[in-house]
Amino acid sequence: MEKRFFVEENAVVIGIGDYRVGSFPMATVGLGSCVALILHDARRSVGGLAHIMLPESRGSPTDRPGKFADTALCALLGEMEALGCTRGSIVARLVGGASMFEYSGTSLNIGERNVEAIRSLLQGRRLRIDAEETGGKFGRSVIYRPAEGGRTTVKRADGICFDL
Amino acid sequence: MELDIYQTDALNELGNIGAAHAATTLAQMLMSPVEMTVPEVKVVDIADVYQYIGDEISALVVFQIQGDLADGGYIVVSMPVSAVIELTNMMLGTAGSDRELTEMDQSAVIEIGNIMISAFLDSTAELLGIVMLPSPPALAVDMAHAAFQSIIAQMAADVNEVVIFSTELQSDAPPVYGSIFLLPNPELLREIIRLLEALVAT
């Protein structure tokens, strides 16, 4: 409950299934199979981050659009376009989608499916991915700072910390 | 999902019994007393899970709950890496506390998890008169939240809240500290509450 990696940054922590759009720093703590989808508009220095849990909503109405890849992308784009962002100046970044457990039989590994779903949705909207840190077997935390040119820092479970 | 005060009390009591049995087995393995906190039952919104489980590096041994209910949810033992090393050092007579986890450490923590969780599930299932068995264990040595989040993604497609049920166990010599988390799925939770209420009524 203490020892929060990004606390000192005053970032807004985006929990599982949530999303935010704005110019303030946004962070997610300990991504496993979930994926942080960041959409950054370099021209306006604003952007959004969604903490996506599952690849598709299967059409069921949800009060939590951030939870599924398809609804999260719609929600992020909708809010960003309302702020005046245009499709052409938006780039995407993906972080997470790990496979945390090796399990015989049941699969706890939704990470890969999440990443694939988001990639194909982005392609469908003609949005370019300019950086990605996905897959593997370890967790990651990420902080995204729209106002600082969209600087995106990833911290991996092995302690390695770097800018995307 | 809301739990009233009686249901919360009943679940606390169930957790107490399970955790006490797990603590006893840990104490036997350590040959040292193990203290336990009163279990806590919380209904947590998935977006707030990070407030309860941070990103510190831990060894997490994860079991799916099987038995009468095929997919009853998950039960997890979480220990800081330093505690795992203390445990293995004591069990295997190895030394050195500032090191990475070896394969031996990993097998040891899986085995300890197995024994503790079997004791937890056996004692609670016996009280309720149902069968609850742990699946084979899965291990992650990683950010605790990342592992939890993967479990939640597996179980919570159409729900936005999870019931987290936690107890902390602690021994002083060797300095070992760990937590047990129970994440029942809604069907198992309903069944447990129903059986507990039937027990109280008789």
Side-chain angles (χ1 to χ4, degrees):
Chain A
M1 291 105 261
E2 334 52 66
K3 283 171 66 180
R4 204 68 68 208
F5 173 53
F6 291 126
V7 146
E8 67 277 18
E9 306 259 6
N10 287 321
V12 173
V13 176
I14 316 288
I16 301 170
D18 257 351
Y19 77 98
R20 294 292 292 273
V21 169
S23 55
F24 48 86
M26 306 171 205
T28 57
V29 173
L31 289 157
S33 64
C34 289
V35 177
L37 167 63
I38 295 163
L39 294 184
H40 176 64
D41 181 333
R43 213 179 302 166
R44 287 172 187 269
S45 294
V46 297
L49 188 157
H51 189 153
I52 295 169
M53 187 170 105
L54 292 166
E56 51 188 316
S57 61
R58 297 206 164 88
S60 62
T62 174
D63 54 347
R64 240 176 254 234
K67 202 160 140 184
F68 306 98
D70 47 356
T71 48
L73 181 59
C74 277
L76 284 179
L77 278 179
E79 287 203 17
M80 287 176 69
E81 282 168 358
L83 291 176
C85 300
T86 49
R87 211 62 72 84
S89 58
I90 296 175
V91 291
R93 285 170 197 159
L94 270 55
V95 180
S99 302
M100 303 294 295
F101 295 98
E102 288 181 65
Y103 221 62
S104 53
T106 12
S107 168
L108 279 165
N109 300 332
I110 307 166
E112 204 174 308
R113 277 171 39 217
N114 278 336
V115 173
E116 275 168 22
I118 296 168
R119 278 193 200 130
S120 97
L121 287 164
L122 289 169
Q123 203 179 11
R125 303 268 190 154
R126 299 186 188 288
L127 289 166
R128 187 172 60 85
I129 298 175
D130 80 335
E132 187 171 327
E133 160 68 14
T134 56
K137 295 184 187 307
F138 42 81
R140 303 168 172 93
S141 291
V142 63
I143 181 164
Y144 161 58
R145 306 170 193 84
E148 293 173 42
R151 190 156 76 94
T152 304
T153 308
V154 175
K155 183 198 179 196
R156 296 198 332 209
D158 55 15
I160 293 172
C161 205
F162 57 94
D163 280 353
L164 266 193
Chain B
M1 182 175 6
E2 276 195 37
L3 297 173
D4 65 36
I5 185 148
Y6 300 104
Q7 293 171 334
T8 307
D9 274 357
L11 284 170
N12 274 332
E13 193 45 46
L14 185 81
N16 232 329
I17 291 166
H21 280 81
T24 305
T25 58
L26 182 61
Q28 283 164 355
M29 285 184 282
L30 294 172
M31 293 177 287
S32 153
V34 169
E35 286 186 20
M36 169 190 123
T37 61
V38 177
E40 262 191 285
V41 181
K42 292 190 208 86
V43 180
V44 179
D45 189 289
I46 54 171
D48 298 328
V49 169
Y50 72 90
Q51 295 175 9
Y52 298 92
I53 293 139
D55 65 350
E56 39 292 89
I57 307 295
S58 305
L60 295 107
V61 194
V62 180
F63 306 82
Q64 195 175 30
I65 302 169
Q66 300 171 339
D68 284 347
L69 287 157
D71 167 18
Y74 292 87
I75 186 161
V76 181
V77 177
S78 171
M79 280 185 185
V81 166
S82 60
V84 173
I85 290 171
E86 287 289 345
L87 268 173
T88 342
N89 282 352
M90 198 218 62
M91 289 170 72
L92 304 173
T94 47
S97 55
D98 191 21
R99 57 182 167 89
E100 300 268 301
L101 290 192
T102 63
E103 250 176 67
M104 199 65 104
D105 295 316
Q106 299 194 359
S107 314
V109 71
I110 288 175
E111 205 39 58
I112 289 160
N114 241 328
I115 293 168
M116 285 169 59
I117 293 311
S118 297
F120 188 109
L121 290 180
D122 277 353
S123 57
T124 50
E126 195 187 312
L127 180 77
L128 296 171
I130 56 171
V131 178
M132 285 199 283
L133 298 167
S135 72
L139 174 73
V141 180
D142 211 293
M143 296 169 170
H145 185 268
F148 263 86
Q149 187 240 264
S150 303
I151 296 169
I152 290 168
Q154 187 74 23
M155 58 186 287
D158 51 0
V159 294
N160 292 327
E161 289 166 332
V162 285
V163 175
I164 300 183
F165 190 98
S166 62
T167 321
E168 289 170 6
L169 304 177
Q170 179 158 12
S171 123
D172 289 333
V176 170
Y177 169 86
S179 307
I180 298 175
F181 297 95
L182 181 65
L183 295 122
N185 73 14
E187 293 92 78
L188 178 61
L189 184 69
R190 271 195 294 277
E191 183 67 3
I192 289 175
I193 289 172
R194 192 182 67 76
L195 291 165
L196 285 170
E197 285 171 347
L199 267 182
V200 175
T202 52

